[in-house]
Amino acid sequence: NNFRALSNLAIVRRDQYNASADPDPALLEEANGLCDRALAINESPALWNIKGIVLKILERYDEAIQAYEGALALDPNSVSWRANLGVVYALKRDFDRAEETFQRATELAGTAADCNPNPWRHLGALLLYRQMPEALQAIDQAQLCQPADPWAAVLRVRYFLEIPEARNADEAVIDARVADRLLLGTDPKANQRSQGDLQSPVCYGGGQTPALRAKFKVTKPPSGTDTLVSGSGTNAWTVS
């Protein structure tokens, strides 16, 4: 039907943008318009979420918030969509609202072994950015939810390098090795930047909003680090 065709085409345009080496924002503008046409036929919470992702990448954050709120109005218990809303608040630097939203998303996600790790990792990243020791609890819960997530391991490295009262080079090196192994397993380009020894750089983040590659030696903590990173691909977000 027309709704399905419009929805699928919106997703295709978003994916074409994400896959391009030189992405054209016109693809996202087209995707946004297709979402609007489809939503006029059927207010699907999943499509509101897609619209929110598109607007987030375009850095139209207020509109993205409206889209995620549209999704949550129809499905208030969605962990992913509430976590996505928190990401946009963080990108707007509304950190109090972001923390509140991530906290609610973690309540919905729970602590089971197979729970959604994203809200826990996002919460941990935000608390780490705000220099709060409580970050470690959220980061560890993200690892319990998904042990193979390299970005939780990267956050643990940062925690032991950046939180003054928790600085521990030995712990940072252990977690850096874990992150290296996981990145080698999940990122086909990882072997170009990480050899797995103590001096190998840990690679942070990436994604579309904005693209970021920050590296540092795990044996030499960065000075003046002021960048928040959580995840990769469409789940990535950075504040600097």
Side-chain angles (χ1 to χ4, degrees), residues 16-74:
Q16 287 175 331
Y17 176 90
N18 289 338
S20 175
D22 184 21
D24 183 357
L27 290 169
L28 295 178
E29 296 290 357
E30 182 182 356
N32 185 46
L34 289 163
C35 286
D36 287 339
R37 290 169 60 190
L39 287 166
I41 299 170
N42 178 12
E43 286 209 67
S44 158
L47 193 57
W48 275 116
N49 182 63
I50 295 296
K51 181 178 172 68
I53 292 171
V54 167
L55 291 166
K56 180 198 75 171
I57 299 171
L58 286 168
E59 300 186 15
R60 289 158 55 179
Y61 299 137
D62 289 335
E63 293 175 75
I65 288 170
Q66 292 176 1
Y68 289 131
E69 287 177 342
L72 289 166
L74 297 168

Side-chain angles (χ1 to χ4, degrees), residues 105-207:
T106 62
E107 292 170 7
L108 292 168
T111 57
D114 60 348
C115 73
N116 186 332
N118 288 340
W120 288 106
R121 178 165 25 79
H122 293 332
L123 176 62
L126 180 60
L127 295 176
L128 177 60
Y129 182 78
R130 303 184 90 177
Q131 293 284 288
M132 299 175 68
E134 297 89 340
L136 186 60
Q137 182 179 354
I139 295 166
D140 284 349
Q141 184 58 55
Q143 282 197 313
L144 287 172
C145 294
Q146 188 175 332
D149 179 7
W151 304 112
V154 167
L155 288 175
R156 278 184 60 92
V157 175
R158 295 193 63 167
Y159 178 86
F160 288 116
L161 294 176
E162 297 175 21
I163 300 295
E165 57 266 49
R167 282 185 180 145
N168 186 323
D170 291 338
E171 287 289 341
V173 166
I174 291 169
D175 285 304
R177 284 172 165 162
V178 171
D180 280 348
R181 287 196 299 269
L182 292 172
L183 284 165
L184 285 166
T186 59
D187 184 347
K189 296 182 180 179
N191 59 359
Q192 299 175 15
R193 58 180 183 249
S194 173
Q195 300 304 314
D197 60 34
L198 291 183
Q199 294 298 317
S200 67
V202 176
C203 204
Y204 285 39

